Amino acid sequence: MTDPHQMTATQLLAAYRDKRLSPLDAVEALVQHVERWEPHLNALYDFRPQALLASAQAASERWARGEPRGTLDGVPVTLKELIATRGQPVPGGTGLGDQSPAADDAPPAARLAEDGAVLLGKTTCPDFGMLSSGLSSFHGLTRNPWRLECNTGGSSSGAGAASAAGYGPLHVGTDIGGSVRLPAAWCGTVGFKPTLGRIPIDPYYVGRCAGPMTRSVDDAALMMTALSRTDRRDATRLPPEDIDWSDLDLDVSGLRIGVMMEAGCGLPLDDDIAAAVESAAARLETAGVTLVPMAPVMTREMLDGLDRFWRVRQWNALSALSNEQRERVLPAILAWADDGGRIGGVEAVRGFEQTLAMRRATEAVFDDVDAVISPTTPNVAFPADWPSPTNDPRRPFEHIVYTVPWNMGEQPALSLNAGFSRDGMPLGVQLIGPRLADHFVLKLAKVLETRLALAPSWPSPPVAQ
């Protein structure tokens, strides 16, 4: 039998049903696997093996009686530490501010618990979730399992590393500018950012989504059965909709797919990524789609305006801290947010209005095409201890140009591993659909995943690195 840490959630559930494996068997093996990797990765916050084993034992007893509690009973999951779980504080990557234990599970945590998933632990994120990096003043440095000297990206940094290293099959990140898809791309996994409001989240904010991070499209779809259930705590939630997320069949013949190779601004596109995206697009073309060359949706004005608005927002958060607390924040965050206190109200509003410009530009795309394929990231990898791919606090968002417009436009977008660079690092390809077409994007991703036909691969164990 495949090692439990290499099994998808679908495979684990089938093994539980057939009594080839119990949740306790799977979790005992998984704990050993995690303990081997974790000193090297630092992907987890609040890892409690004994509580996990007790939950797995209870799930095993339910399966033995033929009475599983839900569709995910006994399947290990992780949650980004920004997603509140009852009784635990939410450090926000810094451990500053109010660190009172959360009174309730946030919506994604509540939905997974209702379906019987067992919580392996919380995963790390950088300060305030505002870096695409595994660097945190509270958690320390989270590393990429494919190459420990490389960055995971972020802000769902621990989730990206945990998913790639096989810390169970199911992980949840959050994404306001690419924070699910970027680490998924750099760590070689699937990261799905749904339409805003499809997965209820609390607290909610402009462009902020929770999303599955898995090693297969099937598992991402499986998670949507739980995560997409409604919750009134999210005022941006979509109306409940009856979707059979397990149905991933799609005839793509006749679809028009826009191919967006240029981002419009930001870092230049690496040749290896360009080749991987072009190859993925060609696989879709052989399946019957029509490829349509597409101009970028982002502009320098949009990116700089959003940067200014986010600086002001971050400065506001820093202003609530004491001088002593601010000194504990990562220098890169302090240097970036420093201008926030000097940006006037009119300039801040103009920056925010660029989110609306992105929304107009992204929505207009789907007048001409059914979906878009693009790179997820412009660069292949960057050093583990850098706060961003530029290592420049004055230019921290030059790498989010392929991902952030779809947050502001609210369209569903998914990153999928499309192969590896010449030096063995993962390459991400992104698929985007019209707003509300989440199921369609998962179906299209399943077609591409099947067409790419990449053999399952895992990072080398830490002792071999």
Side-chain angles (χ1 to χ4, degrees):
M1 183 184 294
T2 304
D3 288 339
H5 78 269
Q6 295 184 341
M7 296 175 73
T8 67
T10 304
Q11 290 170 334
L12 280 176
L13 289 166
Y16 297 167
R17 279 192 297 270
D18 297 343
K19 298 189 177 358
R20 290 177 286 118
L21 196 68
S22 73
L24 184 59
D25 295 332
V27 166
E28 284 178 337
L30 182 58
V31 166
Q32 293 181 14
H33 177 75
V34 169
E35 289 177 342
R36 182 182 187 187
W37 267 104
E38 186 57 9
H40 304 268
L41 293 187
N42 186 39
L44 294 179
Y45 162 69
D46 194 34
F47 176 45
R48 299 186 181 186
Q50 293 309 311
L52 173 64
L53 290 164
S55 296
Q57 175 64 43
S60 296
E61 292 169 2
R62 291 191 293 270
W63 278 102
R65 295 193 303 266
E67 299 173 352
R69 189 169 70 193
T71 57
L72 298 174
D73 201 5
V75 178
V77 300
T78 71
L79 293 163
K80 187 176 181 177
E81 63 104 314
L82 295 178
I83 298 170
T85 48
R86 187 193 319 246
Q88 298 300 316
V90 181
T94 67
L96 302 175
D98 182 13
Q99 292 298 297
S100 302
D104 294 295
D105 286 343
R111 299 295 84 76
L112 291 171
E114 288 167 1
D115 275 11
V118 294
L119 183 61
L120 184 147
K122 309 290 285 292
T123 51
T124 60
C125 73
D127 291 30
F128 304 101
M130 283 305 298
L131 292 176
S132 189
S133 173
L135 187 62
S136 163
S137 62
F138 179 77
H139 298 296
L141 184 60
T142 300
R143 297 178 179 273
N144 192 317
W146 287 101
R147 187 167 298 160
L148 296 179
E149 64 267 28
C150 289
N151 210 296
T152 57
S155 60
S156 304
S157 48
S163 178
Y167 287 20
L170 304 181
H171 310 268
V172 184
T174 61
D175 189 317
I176 198 172
S179 291
V180 160
R181 290 158 290 158
L182 294 168
W186 281 314
C187 294
T189 64
V190 174
F192 181 44
K193 180 208 78 70
T195 300
L196 184 74
R198 178 69 72 194
I199 295 175
I201 192 169
D202 180 32
Y204 49 87
Y205 196 73
V206 177
R208 185 172 189 249
C209 301
M213 299 179 71
T214 64
R215 290 186 62 90
S216 71
V217 174
D218 284 338
D219 275 1
L222 177 65
M223 293 190 80
M224 291 300 293
T225 64
L227 295 174
S228 63
R229 291 200 299 273
T230 193
D231 192 303
R232 295 192 66 84
R233 290 174 288 176
D234 185 351
T236 70
R237 70 193 182 284
L238 297 175
E241 191 172 350
D242 186 14
I243 297 173
D244 181 3
W245 296 101
S246 65
D247 176 11
L248 294 178
D249 291 336
L250 179 67
D251 181 2
V252 299
S253 58
L255 291 180
R256 290 170 56 83
I257 306 293
V259 183
M260 192 183 78
M261 298 302 297
E262 296 298 326
C265 54
L267 292 174
L269 181 61
D270 185 275
D271 289 344
D272 280 355
I273 299 174
V277 175
E278 289 167 353
S279 176
R283 302 294 179 95
L284 291 175
E285 188 174 34
T286 62
V289 310
T290 298
L291 300 180
V292 181
M294 186 179 136
V297 293
M298 281 290 285
T299 66
R300 173 51 61 181
E301 183 180 13
M302 290 175 185
L303 186 62
D304 288 348
L306 182 65
D307 183 9
R308 288 192 297 273
F309 171 63
W310 278 352
R311 287 182 196 232
V312 174
R313 178 173 176 257
Q314 187 61 58
W315 180 256
N316 180 59
L318 292 171
S319 298
L321 303 176
S322 68
N323 290 335
E324 181 183 2
Q325 288 175 323
R326 278 196 293 272
E327 289 175 358
R328 291 162 53 189
V329 176
L330 284 175
I333 290 284
L334 296 174
W336 166 66
D338 182 60
D339 286 343
R342 295 186 288 273
I343 293 174
V346 171
E347 190 176 4
V349 170
R350 286 174 178 164
F352 175 78
E353 286 177 343
Q354 290 304 315
T355 67
L356 304 179
M358 288 184 224
R359 186 178 184 118
R360 283 189 290 271
T362 54
E363 189 66 17
V365 163
F366 298 99
D367 289 338
D368 299 319
V369 298
D370 299 295
V372 174
I373 187 170
S374 81
T376 309
T377 66
N379 61 305
V380 174
F382 63 106
D385 58 354
W386 283 15
S388 75
T390 62
N391 199 29
D392 181 351
R394 300 294 172 181
R395 298 189 309 124
F397 301 130
E398 301 298 301
H399 60 288
I400 69 172
V401 285
Y402 288 104
T403 53
V404 71
W406 314 109
N407 290 80
M408 301 306 137
E410 302 184 9
Q411 294 86 4
L414 182 147
S415 183
L416 181 70
N417 186 45
F420 293 86
S421 68
R422 284 163 285 191
D423 57 357
M425 293 302 289
L427 305 171
V429 60
Q430 182 177 219
L431 295 170
I432 308 105
R435 186 173 176 273
L436 306 178
D438 306 79
H439 197 196
F440 165 70
V441 169
L442 284 166
K443 290 182 175 185
L444 184 60
K446 179 64 177 179
V447 171
L448 180 55
E449 181 182 60
T450 302
R451 290 271 168 172
L452 288 170
L454 293 174
S457 57
W458 295 86
S460 298
V463 293
Q465 297 194 33

